[in-house]
Amino acid sequence: MTCEDTPVRLTWEIELYEPFSKVWLSKGYGRATTSAAPADIARAVLAGYLAGNPARGGETFRATVRTDTGTVVTATADELAAAGWKAGPDVRQALPLYLRDALTAGADTPRTE
């Protein structure tokens, strides 16, 4: 799951889409320095958030990761369910404790209905 040997600094954000105003509202953000792939971090952040805060009917969430080098990666709940994705140890290490705990409790599979 590592994209390179050199750790990268990144910022992640969890967002909720508000259909009436057609904007993405920030629900949480954080920073990390990790050698894990930004796409894996985006999936882990979203999976952890949704495991602890399941989406209600009609809600659309995404996680966006921005690296210091300018790379932007976005993950959606549909990608998590379709890929059968699991967070590796290097990805978990980059997450704050509340998201790590949510992933453990939710077994990496968020409820998105």
Side-chain angles (χ1 to χ4, degrees):
M1 281 195 197
T2 58
C3 60
E4 52 188 60
D5 294 326
T6 306
V8 175
R9 293 185 312 174
L10 53 84
T11 304
W12 53 263
E13 183 175 18
I14 302 163
E15 299 168 300
L16 169 65
Y17 186 69
E18 209 291 81
F20 298 107
S21 58
K22 299 181 181 169
V23 297
W24 289 94
L25 305 173
S26 180
K27 300 301 278 180
Y29 61 91
R31 296 178 183 187
T33 300
T34 180
S35 58
D40 287 339
I41 296 295
R43 288 183 197 107
V45 164
L46 186 58
Y49 183 83
L50 291 175
N53 306 290
R56 295 183 296 248
E59 289 184 330
T60 302
F61 286 92
R62 74 178 183 187
T64 303
V65 171
R66 293 174 177 85
T67 66
D68 282 354
T69 59
T71 304
V72 178
V73 177
T74 301
T76 64
D78 295 339
E79 293 173 25
L80 297 177
W85 177 85
K86 297 284 183 189
D90 55 339
V91 173
R92 287 177 185 269
Q93 183 179 1
L95 299 178
L97 187 57
Y98 77 96
L99 290 177
R100 262 186 270 167
D101 288 347
L103 278 177
T104 301
D108 295 346
T109 309
R111 297 183 312 252
T112 58
E113 52 289 327

